[in-house]
């Protein structure tokens, strides 16, 4: 149980275009999902916390107008990288929280590798 | 000083060896401690979590937390080539959703 999927797994886009990444919890409902970014040989850096039906909470230094997050249902959150630039190239990973009480276990998706040319 | 410190390795051991992975932290408010395994180009997979100090065992894996020293460990017994991955420690405060990760230690188990 507790499976999280992401789509696409890999995407290449041109500079200036927008890319949407989907994160789905397949066998459970997740009121809270998280978006992380991971650079090579670096740890996961939390970008934002996404709650179903409300606005996402962004971490300091993350541009909310550039990284649009929509958590429209209990099983789907999307991250849209707008006007992508080469420096946005990274590995983006989502996680979904289960359950809604301690220990707040997070289950991670397989990640999406974004390359901006 | 970073909140969570983890030696990135790489760590290379022969098959069957006991592996010891460690993290130190500075925030005494951390109460929950997790270990994740991440294969190349994949998302992290939760291996174990521990609340407060103590030990927890699951098969070949043992997690230890020493809050007085702000030090956590993951031991892998009878290591297998399939254990080759990056191991991330993570921790958080009680009542908070947010995880703080270490950089990860890359482990290679040589057949």
């Amino acid at each position: 149980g507790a499976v999280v999927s992401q789509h696409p797994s890999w995407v290449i886009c041109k500079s200036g275009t927008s890319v949407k990444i989907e994160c789905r919890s397949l066998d459970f409902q997740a009121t809270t999902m998280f978006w992380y970014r991971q650079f090579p040989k670096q740890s996961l850096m939390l970008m934002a916390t996404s709650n179903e039906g409300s606005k996402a909470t962004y971490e300091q230094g993350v541009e909310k107008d550039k990284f649009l997050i929509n958590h429209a249902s209990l099983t789907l959150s999307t991250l849209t990288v707008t006007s992508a630039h080469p420096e946005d190239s990274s590995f983006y990973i989502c996680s979904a929280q289960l359950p809604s009480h301690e220990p707040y276990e997070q289950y991670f998706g397989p990640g999406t590798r974004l390359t901006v040319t | 000083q970073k909140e969570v410190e983890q030696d990135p390795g790489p760590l290379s051991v022969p098959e069957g060896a006991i592996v010891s992975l460690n993290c130190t932290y500075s925030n005494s408010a951390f109460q929950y401690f997790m270990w994740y395994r991440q294969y190349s180009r994949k998302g992290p997979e939760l291996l174990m979590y521990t609340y407060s100090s103590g030990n927890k065992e699951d098969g070949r894996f043992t997690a230890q937390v020493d809050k007085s020293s702000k030090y956590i460990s993951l031991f892998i017994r009878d290591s297998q080539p399939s254990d080759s991955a990056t191991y991330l420690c993570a921790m958080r405060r009680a009542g908070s959703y947010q995880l703080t990760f270490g950089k990860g230690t890359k482990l290679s188990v040589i057949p």
Side-chain angles (χ1 to χ4, degrees):
Chain A
V3 178
V4 177
S5 71
Q6 274 184 249
H7 177 81
S9 57
W10 185 34
V11 58
I12 301 174
C13 71
K14 291 187 176 180
S15 187
T17 61
S18 296
V19 173
K20 180 185 283 188
I21 302 170
E22 292 187 349
C23 175
R24 292 182 186 271
S25 54
L26 298 185
D27 51 2
F28 65 100
Q29 294 183 330
T31 54
T32 303
M33 290 184 170
F34 303 87
W35 287 96
Y36 294 84
R37 187 171 179 176
Q38 187 177 33
F39 290 105
K41 300 185 179 181
Q42 297 293 320
S43 190
L44 281 76
M45 298 300 296
L46 179 65
M47 298 175 65
T49 302
S50 165
N51 290 293
E52 186 266 339
S54 63
K55 290 185 178 180
T57 302
Y58 291 82
E59 294 300 301
Q60 192 173 9
V62 177
E63 299 176 58
K64 62 180 181 181
D65 295 329
K66 180 169 186 60
F67 298 99
L68 301 179
I69 292 172
N70 184 11
H71 194 157
S73 77
L74 289 172
T75 59
L76 173 64
S77 177
T78 61
L79 168 68
T80 301
V81 182
T82 62
S83 186
H85 288 94
E87 57 265 31
D88 298 325
S89 298
S90 189
F91 193 50
Y92 292 88
I93 307 176
C94 72
S95 71
Q97 186 179 282
L98 172 77
S100 58
H101 54 80
E102 293 287 7
Y104 297 130
E105 292 178 35
Q106 287 187 32
Y107 291 86
F108 286 82
T112 296
R113 185 161 302 279
L114 170 64
T115 301
V116 184
T117 61
Chain B
Q1 181 189 11
K2 290 193 174 182
E3 277 196 298
V4 180
E5 299 276 4
Q6 184 176 10
D7 186 340
L11 179 63
S12 185
V13 301
E15 183 175 356
I18 296 175
V19 176
S20 173
L21 303 166
N22 312 291
C23 289
T24 59
Y25 63 95
S26 57
N27 190 342
S28 59
F30 287 138
Q31 292 282 353
Y32 288 87
F33 304 90
M34 291 83 169
W35 285 96
Y36 287 85
R37 177 173 63 195
Q38 186 176 23
Y39 292 111
S40 182
R41 299 177 181 269
K42 299 292 184 183
E45 169 195 10
L46 179 64
L47 279 178
M48 300 187 72
Y49 75 87
T50 309
Y51 172 67
S52 195
S53 284
N55 294 357
K56 189 172 185 178
E57 188 173 322
D58 184 1
R60 296 186 294 112
F61 298 90
T62 299
Q64 287 186 353
V65 175
D66 181 349
K67 290 194 70 183
S68 63
S69 301
K70 297 189 179 68
Y71 187 87
I72 69 171
S73 302
L74 177 71
F75 297 96
I76 306 174
R77 290 183 299 278
D78 187 26
S79 56
Q80 302 295 309
S82 58
D83 294 328
S84 298
T86 296
Y87 289 80
L88 297 149
C89 65
M91 46 199 78
R92 63 174 183 78
R93 302 186 311 275
S96 170
Y97 301 156
Q98 292 192 5
L99 291 174
T100 300
F101 284 87
K103 274 193 174 183
T105 300
K106 186 172 183 178
L107 170 68
S108 295
V109 181
I110 310 302

